Amino acid sequence: MQTYEELLDAVVATDGDTVTILAPATEQPIGDAPWHDEAELEAAIARAQAAQPAWAALSSAERADYLNRAADAIEAAAEPLAQLLAREVGKPLGGANARFEVGASANWLRATAAQEVPVETLVDDGETYAELHYRPIGVVGAITPWNWPMMIATWQIAPSLRVGNTVVIKPSEYTPFSGLALAAVINQVLPEGVLNVVVGDGELGAAMTANPAFGKIMFTGSTATGTKIIESSAANITRLTMELGGNDAGIVLADADPQQVAGDIFWGAFLNTGQTCAALKRLYVHDDIYDQVVDAIAQVAKSAPMGDSLDEDSLLGPVQNKRQWKIVDTLVKLAVESGARVVVGGNPDPDATGYFYPATIVADIDPENALVVEEQFGPALPIVRYSDIEDALRWANALDVGLGASVWGSDRAEALKVAERMEAGTVWINKHGAVHPFIPFGGTKRSGYGMEFGVEGLKAVSVPQVING
C-alpha cells in the first residue's frame, strides 16, 4: 500500500452493501465503501473478544513495541494516507491539514507507547499495605467523527491498545475510507482481531452503544448524539468517554497587540476550515482595540488561500459535507439579517462545484445572535465588542458547553486571572486549540466528560483495582 491507488484498492468494497463517497472539493466519487449491518458488527466484536486475552497477556514493553511499529507503518504510507484524507475530508495537503494529521497520528502512537500507568502505593504504614493497579477493560468501542478521522481515531485506538484492550472502531459515515485506511495500515503489524472496523451510520452506532460486549465506549461528536449514547448504554453500565460539542470562546484583553495576536487567533478559529471541536468559535474583544483586532484578523483571512484539497498552495479547503455547509450559510445569513457586518467572506456561490464557503469574519454582532450562541463548526467567526470584562466573562460562560477557551493579552498575570474564571476543560493563553499527548484533555458541562491523553487518558481506558494486604 505504498501508492494512493493501492491504499484505495485495499479499502474499497467489491461486494455486499456499499455507499458511494464523494469528494467535498469536487463532488465526484472517490469509491464505494462497505456498509455493515449488525451481523457484521457482532462478528467484529467476536474477533476482538477472541484476541483480547492474548493481547492483554503481553508485557507493557511488547504492546509499546507494537504501537511503535504501527507508527512506522503509518509513516511508510504517509503520502497515500494524506492523499486519501485530502480527497475524502477536503482538507488540503499542506499546512496543518492532511499531511499534518497523518504525521500527528504516527507521533501520537509513539507518545502513547512511551507512557504507562504506574502502580501506586496507597498505604504502607507497617500495618496496612495497599496498591492501586489499572487493568484492561476488555473490548473498547470507538466512534469517531468526520473532521479529523485519522487523528481522533488514533487518540482512541492508541491508549486502548496500550493498556491491553482490543478495539472495534466505527468511523463517520461521511469519511469511512479514512478510518478503514488507517486501520488497514496499522493492521499490517498488529495481531489479528486486535483492531477491527465497521462502517455504518447512526443506526449501527446505536447498536454498538447498546451492546453489552463493550466495556468502554469512546465518542467524539455532537452533544445530541452523546446524549443518546448515554441513554442506550445505561442498562449495561458501560464506561464512557464523551468529547462533545464545543463553541469555544476567546477573550481579547485591552492590552493585547492586535497585529501580534491576529494570526494565532485566525488559525485558532479556522484550523481545518473551522471544523475542529476545540476551535475558537466566538471572540470577545475589548472596545479599545476592537476595530484594530477585527481589521487585523480580516487581513489574515484575505491572505489565507482556499482551494482544491490537492492544490499544494491551498491552506483552507471546503466544508466536508453539504449539510454542514448549509448550517454555516444559514447562520451567517441570519447574522446579516439582524444587522451584523460581514467584514470579509460571506456570499458563497451556491452553484459552484464543491462545498466551499469563504473564510468569513462577522463584526458588530449581538452576543445573543445565533451565529454566536450556536456552534457553526465551519469557516465563520463572530467577533463581539465588550467594554467591561465582567460582560465578556458572563457571555463566554453563559452557554451550556465548555470544551476549550482562550485569553489573549500582553500581561500574562492578568490573562491568568481571567482564564481561571472561564468555564472550560482547557483554557489557553495567547493560543487556542493546542493539544499535547502528555496533557489531559476533556470538557465540562454539556461538552462531555472523561479525560483523554497522558496518564489520565490511559487510566480512562482501564479498570482500577486495589490490592490490599
Side-chain angles (χ1 to χ4, degrees), residues 194-214:
V194 169
L195 175 60
N196 309 271
V197 187
V198 292
V199 175
D201 57 13
E203 185 175 339
L204 189 67
M208 285 182 66
T209 59
N211 196 306
F214 291 106

Side-chain angles (χ1 to χ4, degrees), residues 369-452:
N369 191 278
L371 181 61
V372 179
V373 300
E374 297 180 23
E375 185 182 23
Q376 71 274 25
F377 211 75
L381 177 65
I383 306 181
V384 177
R385 187 190 304 263
Y386 78 89
S387 297
D388 189 330
I389 189 62
E390 296 301 322
D391 288 334
L393 282 164
R394 176 166 52 83
W395 294 332
N397 292 335
L399 304 187
D400 62 358
V401 290
L403 187 58
S406 56
V407 183
W408 305 77
S410 298
D411 185 334
R412 188 180 183 280
E414 190 63 32
L416 184 60
K417 291 178 184 177
V418 176
E420 290 172 345
R421 297 179 62 191
M422 298 188 79
E423 297 172 1
T426 298
V427 183
W428 293 277
I429 295 177
N430 291 325
K431 57 186 174 182
H432 195 107
V435 293
H436 190 287
F438 293 171
I439 300 175
F441 181 77
T444 62
K445 299 192 278 191
R446 289 176 64 84
S447 287
Y449 49 77
M451 301 299 290
E452 298 180 88

Side-chain angles (χ1 to χ4, degrees), residues 275-298:
Q275 301 165 111
T276 298
C277 299
L280 199 167
K281 299 186 176 77
R282 50 196 172 108
L283 186 67
Y284 304 92
V285 180
H286 194 277
D287 184 66
D288 288 353
I289 58 171
Y290 182 86
D291 292 331
Q292 300 97 303
V293 170
V294 169
D295 290 345
I297 296 173

Side-chain angles (χ1 to χ4, degrees), residues 52-106:
Q52 198 274 328
W55 180 252
L58 295 176
S59 69
S60 176
E62 287 171 324
R63 288 196 298 272
D65 181 62
Y66 271 113
L67 264 61
N68 283 316
R69 289 165 57 192
D72 292 341
I74 289 174
E75 289 173 346
E79 189 61 19
L81 286 168
Q83 292 274 338
L84 182 55
L85 263 179
R87 287 174 167 87
E88 186 175 50
V89 183
K91 58 181 65 185
L93 289 167
N97 290 296
R99 293 190 182 109
F100 168 84
E101 181 170 351
V102 173
S105 298

